Amino acid sequence: MKKLSKRFAKIIAVVCCGCLLSGCSENISFMQPKPDFSAGYTVNAEINCGKLEAAADISYISEKDWVFAFTEPKALAGMTLRLNKDGLSGTLGALKFSVDENSEYTLMPEIISEAVEALQKAPADKRAVSDGIITVETEFDGRPVIVTADASGKLISLKCPHYSLSVNFSNQNKIIASDIPEDAEEEGEKPVVTITPV
């Protein structure tokens, strides 16, 4: 009888511990901070678009205000594109220019910015979460775009099959004022540049 009582006591103890542990894990997950996509940040991006392989430091300054500073390939290194309410413009050293937005390669900043902003705005029930990865499916001109981020809000990847565009993000950090290029507007016509792969 005593052995039976001891076994019963052990079973109750195990069940109680299990309940406590599961309760704790629920509280821990409940207390995890929600991802903040609204704060400005810089992030490294490895970009593949058709034949083009590029690398850029991307800065999200605020809604509808993005900066893409290319570091690779050599033909694009040092070129900065700024996408804001005034459209897409660029600089290369002292040269300031408007960009032909009809090229599939100059669509990259628009696709990336719109998809990431859609991720920011998506309500929790529109975000698929699996193993700590947040996935949001959105569209660009009716074409599907998938963007992923981790639970802290750091970007992981973006894919837009229609444009053969894939982006891998890394080293995301809060924005520093010195990372934002000056957007000095000068009067007069700017040359228009069409970007083509090398």
Side-chain angles (χ1 to χ4, degrees):
M1 190 72 173
K2 285 184 180 179
K3 286 183 181 179
L4 187 60
S5 297
K6 284 182 181 178
R7 283 184 185 169
F8 186 68
K10 283 182 181 178
I11 291 169
I12 289 176
V14 168
V15 170
C16 288
C17 285
C19 290
L20 286 171
L21 288 174
S22 65
C24 287
S25 66
E26 283 177 16
N27 288 338
I28 288 168
S29 62
F30 178 77
M31 291 170 62
Q32 284 179 347
K34 292 181 180 178
D36 179 13
F37 296 107
S38 62
Y41 56 81
T42 59
V43 64
N44 301 134
E46 292 178 5
I47 303 167
N48 289 285
C49 186
K51 295 178 182 178
L52 177 68
E53 293 183 7
D57 297 324
I58 299 176
S59 299
Y60 169 70
I61 299 162
S62 61
E63 187 174 356
K64 307 289 185 194
D65 196 357
W66 293 77
V67 175
F68 296 77
F70 287 89
T71 55
E72 294 178 24
K74 192 173 181 180
L76 296 180
M79 183 177 73
T80 298
L81 298 178
R82 184 145 193 181
L83 179 64
N84 56 26
K85 60 180 176 26
D86 297 323
L88 189 63
S89 60
T91 59
L92 181 58
L95 176 66
K96 292 180 175 27
F97 53 88
S98 298
V99 180
D100 177 7
E101 296 184 34
N102 296 318
S103 161
E104 67 178 289
Y105 297 107
T106 55
L107 282 177
M108 287 186 303
E110 289 187 56
I111 296 170
I112 294 168
S113 63
E114 283 193 23
V116 172
E117 288 188 11
L119 168 68
Q120 295 167 353
K121 294 173 184 175
D125 62 343
K126 296 295 182 185
R127 295 176 184 169
V129 181
S130 177
D131 296 326
I133 305 299
I134 300 167
T135 303
V136 169
E137 293 186 30
T138 182
E139 291 185 350
F140 179 82
D141 280 348
R143 311 294 185 179
V145 185
I146 299 167
V147 62
T148 62
D150 68 18
S152 68
K154 291 190 175 182
L155 297 173
I156 298 173
S157 68
L158 180 148
K159 295 191 186 311
C160 182
H162 177 76
Y163 291 101
S164 302
L165 172 64
S166 67
V167 184
N168 291 318
F169 300 102
S170 61
N171 301 320
Q172 184 170 323
N173 294 295
K174 286 185 178 178
I175 204 159
I176 300 168
S178 61
D179 292 331
I180 305 171
E182 291 182 19
D183 195 25
E185 292 294 331
E186 293 184 2
E187 292 183 9
E189 295 258 338
K190 297 176 186 174
V192 176
V193 174
T194 302
I195 300 172
T196 53
V198 177

